[in-house]
Amino acid sequence: MPAAAVCKLHNIALLLFLLLLFGGVALQQQIKNSLLPADQSNYNDVTTSVTSTQPNNKSSAEDEKAGECLLPLQNLSQGAFVQCRKSSPSQECLTASEFWERHCYLNMTESVRFYHLGKGGGGTILFSLVENGIVVRRDHPRPSTHGIEELLSGPVSTLLINIRDPLDRFVSAFNWRSLLFCQRDGEHRKKYPSEVDDKDRGRYQPHLRPQEFCYEKSSFQKEATIIQRLYNDDINKLAESLCEESSNFEHAVEHTKFISHAKLSMEGWLRPLLLDTNTTSIKPQGLTKFMAITFEQQSGHNSSLLEHTHEAVQQLYFDHGVDEETLDILMSRKTLRPPRVSEMMTHSSNSTAKRKVLGAVGKCCLARFLEDDYRLIQSMLGDANASNVLDPFEYVHPIIREACEWGFPIRRQLCRADLQSMLHRRAEFLDRSLGTCRDAVTLVDES
């Protein structure tokens, strides 16, 4: 089956899942708009559980408040509005319980854009937003071409982006795609699509059930050939070929352009905000907030992606006219939903059979290949957190430096600490004064 057909089946499957979760004619078009375009493997490899709030034991006074209609939901700002599975008259004011019982959500697709970078925790963020009553417009697996103008001139006012250590994200993307392709010998899984009935192809795609199904090479001919035949499913071979001193460097760079999620770097996603011509071209009605949601495992502290996402949910509610008291009342009446989202999103993290550990030389080569991503991270931190190894970009829109400047002070601090940790872990590889990667690794081992 051609790759385009497989991608189309994947889009339909994901759309049907969200429609089953929420339902409703009005929601169909908004969910469709928020999810497209999508590719065949748009889930992250982070084990997650859905953020939810169980009903609290409330006093009678609090119960009375919760039973009142939530007026702020009728006066949302920035073009946001409430939509529900069970439609209600526009003049009707919903209570907190009715909001969840009717499967309502705040439609923020006009004002909020989510840049979902593959294999970086974006699936967790997307479904956490949906589970907490928010739908935004998502760009995945690449930024939409027409969306750039909406950032610069409006109506988009907020840009969300998920950030994971660039090296970790690249390795995860390679290993994930390697896992999905059928092996030439000894493959026990069913081959997709030839061994799957037509009626089951939507729910039995390999990216949803990688332990049971695999993509036939014909579905992604070029990508499968590169990963399996040229690099033997070994990320080390590709990484070391990406060293500038490698005789295979130019060919390896071309090969990365065919590996889903690895082919577009973070710098590539945000390039319009890094070019000199655009550093001052955002109009007043355009982008005003840049929100980085980080995923990083620091030494001594594991930054929680779900904690960051929970605060992003709060921030988006506040930015669209919902006050803290109203939000507390709304979330106090939120009930647990079936764990369907959680089950779907653990597939990647539990599928580790084919992953290979990246060696020190490979890490160095890959870090240097992704140097612009690390420079971008340095630019987000600003001059106050300057590195002795990397210089930030000369031209960046000032909003890039506000990546962590949202939410409560402790979250801002954790966001900056996450970014600093990404730089610190790769500093020895990014220091070109140490010579080639093999020289650098030798010096580090001897020190």
Side-chain angles (χ1 to χ4, degrees):
M1 179 181 291
V6 176
C7 293
K8 184 176 180 181
L9 280 173
H10 167 262
N11 292 341
I12 293 171
L14 186 56
L15 177 59
L16 286 174
F17 164 71
L18 286 173
L19 289 175
L20 286 172
L21 188 63
F22 285 93
V25 175
L27 179 58
Q28 292 183 22
Q29 186 61 43
Q30 296 303 332
I31 292 290
K32 182 178 179 182
N33 290 339
S34 70
L35 292 180
L36 297 177
D39 88 338
Q40 63 281 354
S41 58
N42 66 337
Y43 296 96
N44 62 66
D45 61 345
V46 182
T47 303
T48 180
S49 59
V50 176
T51 302
S52 58
T53 304
Q54 299 220 39
N56 299 324
N57 293 324
K58 314 289 284 185
S59 67
S60 57
E62 290 173 322
D63 281 335
E64 186 176 343
K65 267 191 173 181
E68 298 174 356
C69 73
L70 302 178
L71 288 174
L73 297 185
Q74 288 189 309
N75 300 287
L76 298 172
S77 59
Q78 300 189 52
F81 57 95
V82 175
Q83 282 188 288
C84 304
R85 174 183 178 181
K86 297 179 180 178
S87 60
S88 56
S90 58
Q91 69 273 17
E92 182 179 347
C93 188
L94 297 170
T95 66
S97 295
E98 289 171 337
F99 183 89
W100 301 112
E101 288 168 2
R102 298 187 182 189
H103 293 277
C104 301
Y105 64 97
L106 267 61
N107 185 319
M108 301 181 185
T109 55
E110 181 176 313
S111 59
V112 181
R113 181 66 50 82
F114 174 30
Y115 274 6
H116 175 180
L117 279 64
K119 312 314 296 176
T124 299
I125 296 169
L126 174 67
F127 284 110
S128 292
L129 292 174
V130 172
E131 281 290 303
N132 285 283
I134 293 176
V135 171
V136 301
R137 177 63 185 264
R138 181 187 70 146
D139 281 6
H140 182 80
R142 65 188 64 82
S144 61
T145 53
H146 66 277
I148 301 302
E149 185 60 31
E150 294 177 349
L151 294 179
L152 300 179
S153 304
V156 176
S157 59
T158 299
L159 177 61
L160 298 177
I161 186 170
N162 58 301
I163 299 179
R164 183 183 183 184
D165 183 306
L167 191 154
D168 289 341
R169 192 175 77 86
F170 188 101
V171 172
S172 178
F174 180 95
N175 285 332
W176 174 238
R177 299 302 292 168
S178 171
L179 175 69
L180 293 183
F181 297 134
C182 299
Q183 293 300 292
R184 287 167 287 184
D185 301 309
E187 181 59 74
H188 67 278
R189 297 173 294 178
K190 288 186 177 181
K191 295 177 175 59
Y192 185 96
S194 66
E195 296 180 2
V196 179
D197 292 340
D198 290 349
K199 61 182 177 61
D200 293 327
R201 287 179 181 175
R203 56 178 176 153
Y204 289 156
Q205 296 180 66
H207 68 273
L208 296 176
R209 297 170 178 257
Q211 300 292 6
E212 302 173 56
F213 303 91
C214 59
Y215 285 117
E216 293 175 293
K217 186 176 178 180
S218 58
S219 299
F220 301 92
Q221 184 76 36
K222 184 71 172 180
E223 184 183 10
T225 298
I226 288 171
I227 291 175
Q228 294 185 327
R229 193 175 72 184
L230 298 185
Y231 296 104
N232 197 29
D233 295 301
D234 190 346
I235 182 60
N236 275 287
K237 291 184 178 180
L238 175 58
E240 293 187 16
S241 296
L242 287 170
C243 259
E244 293 169 355
E245 58 269 24
S246 169
S247 59
N248 295 322
F249 175 72
E250 292 184 1
H251 292 299
V253 171
E254 287 301 310
H255 295 156
T256 64
K257 297 176 182 178
F258 294 92
I259 301 175
S260 182
H261 298 318
K263 59 188 175 184
L264 187 60
S265 66
M266 179 169 59
E267 182 270 340
W269 277 83
L270 294 174
R271 191 167 296 155
L273 299 178
L274 307 179
L275 301 177
D276 186 23
T277 54
N278 286 333
T279 53
T280 57
S281 63
I282 297 181
K283 298 177 181 178
Q285 64 270 30
L287 195 62
T288 59
K289 181 169 286 185
F290 179 52
M291 298 172 61
I293 302 179
T294 54
F295 170 51
E296 167 73 349
Q297 294 182 343
Q298 299 181 41
S299 176
H301 172 76
N302 289 333
S303 174
S304 170
L305 182 64
L306 283 175
E307 287 177 7
H308 288 308
T309 305
H310 176 68
E311 195 154 336
V313 167
Q314 290 181 309
Q315 187 68 56
L316 291 174
Y317 270 104
F318 295 158
D319 289 348
H320 290 80
V322 178
D323 60 87
E324 187 173 358
E325 181 182 14
T326 300
L327 183 58
D328 286 344
I329 294 171
L330 187 63
M331 291 301 171
S332 74
R333 286 299 183 262
K334 184 176 183 294
T335 55
L336 285 171
R337 288 176 178 164
R340 287 173 291 182
V341 173
S342 178
E343 291 169 0
M344 286 184 65
M345 293 176 59
T346 59
H347 66 275
S348 176
S349 59
N350 291 335
S351 305
T352 58
K354 290 183 61 180
R355 297 186 181 187
K356 293 179 178 165
V357 177
L358 186 61
V361 173
K363 287 180 181 178
C364 178
C365 298
L366 195 50
R368 292 185 179 187
F369 174 69
L370 298 168
E371 182 176 312
D372 281 348
D373 276 9
Y374 290 102
R375 291 184 66 198
L376 178 54
I377 290 173
Q378 183 65 70
S379 300
M380 292 177 184
L381 287 167
D383 297 335
N385 298 280
S387 165
N388 295 326
V389 176
L390 278 181
D391 292 324
F393 283 110
E394 181 178 1
Y395 298 111
V396 295
H397 192 277
I399 203 166
I400 289 290
R401 300 187 183 96
E402 298 176 11
C404 291
E405 302 306 308
W406 59 274
F408 295 108
I410 189 170
R411 197 221 61 83
R412 299 183 183 198
Q413 183 179 352
L414 284 174
C415 176
R416 288 191 289 268
D418 282 347
L419 297 182
Q420 288 167 344
S421 174
M422 295 175 195
L423 292 176
H424 177 73
R425 290 200 290 129
R426 311 305 178 192
E428 60 190 22
F429 301 137
L430 294 168
D431 186 354
R432 293 182 179 271
S433 68
L434 299 179
T436 67
C437 278
R438 295 193 182 278
D439 293 336
V441 169
T442 300
L443 287 172
V444 170
D445 288 343
E446 292 176 350
S447 62

